[in-house]
């Protein structure tokens, strides 16, 4: 908790988290142990949540709606730039890759992660909703097969062949709970059971020429096509 305040830089939650920490420490007999706690445990943010700089009051509205089970009407900018108006039952506020998301359920009962930075406006309605039981909605189950924040993607067994230079890194790094890492003499085999999403493709492409997708075929084809396009873009004119 002491390390998370940089994520909320630019909003009242930055000082709120620090004040709450100071109050907790102030009530313990071991105050000396927690001296400089904000430097002893540090969250290295990568850019942070840009949406808070201009939309801090909107976060207050969303948090209140989540706590009190109130339906919200939002204006939301889609990835392609189009603006959509919709009503949501906000179930969770999630942090992924140092960004805030509102996990909302639409009128059709579909769950979707809405990026907070792309929320233009929020109107908390008088209408309330019944918060689902854990059996009906559990974020851990919802995102169990997700490689990132995307939902409703085809889940498949993904097999990668990595250059042997990644052996130590692969042994000591966890990309997903389902992963299996097998280190061979001339390569590293990584197996995952995840949804086939853009984040997964971006992760594989990050290895460059030192990764090969062995399965599934459709993922191998997509990654191969993107690498070929990138090679053409960098070819001498």
């Amino acid at each position: 908790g002491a390390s998370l305040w940089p994520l909320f830089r630019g909003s009242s939650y930055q000082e709120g988290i620090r004040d709450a920490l100071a109050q907790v420490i102030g009530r313990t007999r071991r105050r000396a142990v927690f001296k400089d706690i904000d430097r002893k445990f540090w969250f290295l943010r990568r850019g942070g949540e840009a949406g808070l700089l201009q939309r801090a009051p909107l976060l207050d509205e969303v948090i209140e709606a989540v706590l009190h089970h109130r339906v919200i009407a939002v204006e939301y900018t889609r990835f392609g730039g189009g603006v959509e108006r919709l009503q949501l039952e906000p179930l969770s506020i999630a942090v992924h890759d140092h960004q805030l998301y509102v996990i909302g359920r639409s009128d059709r009962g579909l769950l979707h992660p809405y990026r907070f930075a792309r929320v233009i406006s929020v109107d908390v309605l008088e209408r309330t909703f019944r918060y689902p039981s854990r059996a009906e909605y559990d974020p851990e189950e919802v995102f169990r097969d997700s490689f990132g924040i995307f939902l409703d993607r085809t889940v498949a067994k993904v097999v990668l062949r990595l250059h042997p230079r990644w052996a130590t890194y692969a042994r000591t790094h966890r990309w997903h709970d389902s992963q299996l890492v097998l280190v061979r003499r001339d390569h590293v085999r990584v197996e995952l059971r995840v949804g086939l999403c853009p984040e997964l493709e971006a992760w594989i492409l990050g290895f460059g020429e030192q990764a090969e997708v062995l399965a599934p075929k459709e993922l191998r084809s997509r990654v191969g096509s993107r690498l070929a396009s990138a090679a053409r873009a960098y070819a001498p004119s």
Side-chain angles (χ1 to χ4, degrees), residues 99-112:
Q99 309 294 337
L100 294 177
Y101 289 82
V102 180
I103 311 301
R105 184 167 57 188
S106 67
D107 292 338
R108 294 181 293 170
L110 300 177
L111 283 177
H112 184 79

Side-chain angles (χ1 to χ4, degrees), residues 67-79:
L67 290 175
H68 298 288
H69 312 160
R70 301 275 292 275
V71 176
I72 57 175
V74 302
E75 286 185 292
Y76 184 73
T77 305
R78 289 293 185 181
F79 183 80

Side-chain angles (χ1 to χ4, degrees), residues 194-212:
V194 293
L196 305 182
C197 64
E199 292 160 315
L200 176 65
E201 294 181 28
W203 170 67
I204 296 171
L205 290 168
F207 290 104
E209 77 285 358
Q210 296 184 349
E212 179 187 1

Side-chain angles (χ1 to χ4, degrees), residues 26-227:
R27 296 186 179 191
T28 180
R29 297 178 180 178
R30 304 172 64 203
R31 296 186 189 89
V33 175
F34 296 103
K35 184 181 179 181
D36 300 317
I37 194 73
D38 59 332
R39 291 187 291 125
K40 292 178 180 178
F41 296 92
W42 184 252
F43 170 69
L44 187 61
R45 68 189 182 108
R46 187 172 62 196
E49 177 52 79
L52 283 180
L53 299 178
Q54 299 85 19
R55 300 181 174 90
L58 298 185
L59 184 58
D60 296 335
E61 299 289 334
V62 174
I63 288 176
E64 284 300 307
V66 171
L67 290 175
H68 298 288
H69 312 160
R70 301 275 292 275
V71 176
I72 57 175
V74 302
E75 286 185 292
Y76 184 73
T77 305
R78 289 293 185 181
F79 183 80
V83 175
E84 182 179 2
R85 292 171 176 80
L86 62 161
Q87 292 188 5
L88 301 172
E89 295 177 354
L91 301 181
S92 301
I93 295 176
V95 178
H96 170 65
D97 199 19
H98 309 176
Q99 309 294 337
L100 294 177
Y101 289 82
V102 180
I103 311 301
R105 184 167 57 188
S106 67
D107 292 338
R108 294 181 293 170
L110 300 177
L111 283 177
H112 184 79
Y114 295 89
R115 174 82 181 277
F116 177 74
R118 299 210 297 266
V119 174
I120 301 171
S121 67
V122 176
D123 185 16
V124 181
L125 306 182
E126 292 296 328
R127 182 156 55 95
T128 61
F129 64 93
R130 182 187 65 84
Y131 198 81
S133 67
R134 188 173 294 274
E136 296 171 307
Y137 169 71
D138 185 345
E140 187 169 358
E141 285 298 313
V142 169
F143 289 98
R144 181 187 58 191
D145 297 322
S146 296
F147 192 77
I149 198 67
F150 284 88
L151 298 174
D152 301 323
R153 300 286 168 154
T154 301
V155 178
K157 179 180 179 180
V158 176
V159 182
L160 300 181
R161 177 188 176 98
L162 300 180
H163 189 280
R165 73 181 296 268
W166 290 98
T168 300
Y169 187 83
R171 281 199 198 102
T172 58
H173 196 85
R174 178 168 292 279
W175 292 290
H176 192 265
D177 287 344
S178 67
Q179 78 179 44
L180 174 64
V181 175
L182 302 172
V183 177
R184 306 300 190 201
R185 183 178 58 83
D186 61 342
H187 73 278
V188 179
R189 181 183 175 96
V190 179
E191 298 180 3
L192 310 165
R193 179 173 173 77
V194 293
L196 305 182
C197 64
E199 292 160 315
L200 176 65
E201 294 181 28
W203 170 67
I204 296 171
L205 290 168
F207 290 104
E209 77 285 358
Q210 296 184 349
E212 179 187 1
V213 179
L214 302 181
K217 291 182 179 179
E218 59 267 32
L219 180 62
R220 177 183 175 90
S221 177
R222 284 203 301 270
V223 172
S225 296
R226 294 183 63 177
L227 285 172

